[in-house]
Amino acid sequence: MMKIAIISPWTVSDTAVGGTERFVIDLAESLKNLGNEIDVYMLSGESYSKNEINYININIKGKDGYIEEKTLIDMYGSFSTEESYIKLANSLEKLINVEKYDLIQLNSQLFLKAFKNKKRVFTIHTNPFEFRMSFGEDAFETMINIMKREKDEFTYFVAPSQFYKKNYEELTDLHIDFIPHAINVNRIKKDINVDEIYKKYKINKEFKHVLLPSRLEPVQKRPMLFVKAFAKIDKEERNKFEVICTGIDEQYKIYVNEIETYCKENDIKLKLIRFDYMYEAYSIANLAILPSQSESFGYSALESLTCGIPTVLNAIPTYIEISDGSKNVYIFDKTEESLLNELKKIIKSDLKRTNQTAEWQNKYDLKKFGERYLKILNTESEKK
């Protein structure tokens, strides 16, 4: 048995909107089910215990308040110099006693300077586009330069996609292990009365429902690309559908007005729902749309396909990897026009769910998830 600390920049809970938060839960449970003792540390949020895993808020801000990676700039600087990384590392090391742990799994490249005397595994959740978008070019170059110097016996890096494994290896000259995220199927596929979900959230069951399961964020996730394409669908067909957006955490509420106004002006039925659990959202979906222009992995795509929902994905590398070998997937080529063409084909179909093959599901098996992480610690790595 190992004692493992998982350190997350995000607030982790069963009701989390983001896929990366759900990644933390699935990894923690996979490692726990292999007989390990797991503590998850969060920078903010409510502490709790579930399934013998402790989720601990270290309250890095010193007072109540939601913390995400971007808000750390206010506390530690722009991350364009190593000083910001060192200051953040000092805070983490004061608030988390890691001496009792055999392994530290970290979920942000901003944590690169922390716990350097312990065996560490970094999961890379932020690709170059996303890091630059959040922190700027100077911060990206600083982060890469720090990574380049982390070629030691204690530090391992994991990328959840083959594309970004190769990308970061080229940028850093390090060995990066590839481990795709896995999924707890029981978390998103439940035997429930769908009519109760319709009633709970006041959803009109007479309509078919298009689900946008990602965060309501305009640049990376691009929900507006979908609604603009959908507005060009024949009105008679369009009126059979209601669009449901789910990713409405506090920091994304500022984008609500744009999508609400556009849908009202273009006669698109829209509901913005903060579901208590994502399985509720997937249970009522007839069609899922993921128009992101960039993803380091794409948890929502994995979830939707696992549920067998007809799923429309943008042709970005990580979505192509996830969808390889899957059923009920439709790929569009980045543009509004290409998305519109796919929608025209899809919306007149019966939109039935399809069970995925055992071979495809096996790639994302929860038990193998933790095993793959532990295996890299027991294998002579190319990085040394």
Side-chain angles (χ1 to χ4, degrees), residues 208-223:
K208 297 176 183 178
H209 294 98
V210 181
L211 182 69
L212 275 71
S214 292
R215 294 178 282 113
L216 194 67
E217 184 278 330
V219 179
Q220 180 194 350
K221 304 296 184 180
R222 303 195 303 173

Side-chain angles (χ1 to χ4, degrees), residues 92-335:
L92 292 172
E93 289 171 358
K94 286 177 183 177
L95 293 167
I96 304 172
N97 180 6
V98 297
E99 291 309 309
K100 64 179 177 178
Y101 297 107
D102 303 297
L103 174 66
I104 316 297
Q105 190 271 332
L106 301 111
N107 290 288
S108 173
Q109 288 126 294
L110 299 184
F111 300 161
L112 281 166
K113 288 288 187 178
F115 313 115
K116 289 174 66 69
N117 64 330
K118 300 294 290 187
K119 188 167 283 189
R120 308 181 297 169
V121 176
F122 284 89
T123 300
I124 300 172
H125 295 284
T126 310
N127 66 38
F129 168 84
E130 294 160 3
F131 200 98
R132 289 183 173 107
M133 184 176 72
S134 295
F135 302 105
E137 182 64 35
D138 289 345
F140 177 73
E141 293 298 328
T142 299
M143 181 272 291
I144 291 296
N145 286 332
I146 296 172
M147 277 188 72
K148 286 179 178 178
R149 297 197 298 274
E150 297 305 311
K151 196 170 186 176
D152 60 54
E153 61 185 296
F154 296 114
T155 305
Y156 299 78
F157 291 96
V158 171
S161 81
Q162 290 279 17
F163 182 85
Y164 287 113
K165 163 188 162 63
K166 294 175 183 175
N167 190 192
Y168 271 103
E169 284 181 335
E170 290 170 358
L171 287 166
T172 63
D173 196 32
L174 294 171
H175 171 74
I176 312 288
D177 285 285
F178 163 61
I179 302 176
H181 292 342
I183 191 164
N184 182 350
V185 176
N186 295 326
R187 178 171 54 75
I188 59 163
K189 291 177 72 173
K190 293 183 180 289
D191 185 15
I192 57 174
N193 186 335
V194 177
D195 285 338
E196 291 181 2
I197 305 301
Y198 288 134
K199 183 178 179 180
K200 178 179 179 179
Y201 295 102
K202 298 178 181 171
I203 299 168
N204 190 335
K205 66 179 181 179
E206 300 304 315
F207 296 121
K208 297 176 183 178
H209 294 98
V210 181
L211 182 69
L212 275 71
S214 292
R215 294 178 282 113
L216 194 67
E217 184 278 330
V219 179
Q220 180 194 350
K221 304 296 184 180
R222 303 195 303 173
M224 289 301 298
L225 185 79
F226 164 70
V227 294
K228 287 179 179 179
F230 195 57
K232 295 176 182 177
I233 294 290
D234 180 77
K235 185 175 180 180
E236 183 179 351
E237 288 296 327
R238 193 173 70 235
N239 284 344
K240 297 175 183 177
F241 290 83
E242 186 171 54
V243 177
I244 297 179
C245 294
T246 66
I248 320 166
D249 260 357
E250 191 65 36
Q251 69 270 36
Y252 304 117
K253 287 183 178 178
I254 59 174
Y255 305 120
V256 165
N257 184 63
E258 179 185 16
I259 194 167
E260 281 188 326
T261 300
Y262 187 89
C263 287
K264 185 176 181 180
E265 291 174 350
N266 289 274
D267 197 22
I268 295 172
K269 298 176 183 67
L270 173 73
K271 285 187 80 71
L272 303 169
I273 302 175
R274 180 64 162 83
F275 288 90
D276 289 337
Y277 303 98
M278 280 307 296
Y279 71 79
E280 297 175 318
Y282 291 121
S283 73
I284 55 89
N286 300 102
L287 178 64
I289 311 288
L290 290 152
S292 299
Q293 71 163 315
S294 173
E295 294 285 352
S296 295
F297 180 68
Y299 230 63
S300 295
L302 177 59
E303 291 174 333
S304 179
L305 289 171
T306 297
C307 291
I309 301 166
T311 303
V312 183
L313 303 175
N314 190 14
I316 57 175
T318 52
Y319 282 168
I320 297 297
E321 287 184 34
I322 291 171
S323 64
D324 184 38
S326 68
K327 298 179 180 179
N328 238 6
V329 63
Y330 303 84
I331 306 293
F332 75 96
D333 191 16
K334 302 180 178 63
T335 66

Side-chain angles (χ1 to χ4, degrees), residues 57-86:
N57 171 22
I58 65 170
N59 202 12
I60 198 168
K61 206 171 182 180
K63 57 183 178 179
D64 292 337
Y66 178 85
I67 293 285
E68 61 171 341
E69 285 179 301
K70 288 183 185 179
T71 61
L72 294 174
I73 292 172
D74 296 331
M75 299 174 66
Y76 300 104
S78 66
F79 292 93
S80 58
T81 68
E82 290 194 22
E83 183 181 7
S84 296
Y85 293 84
I86 293 168

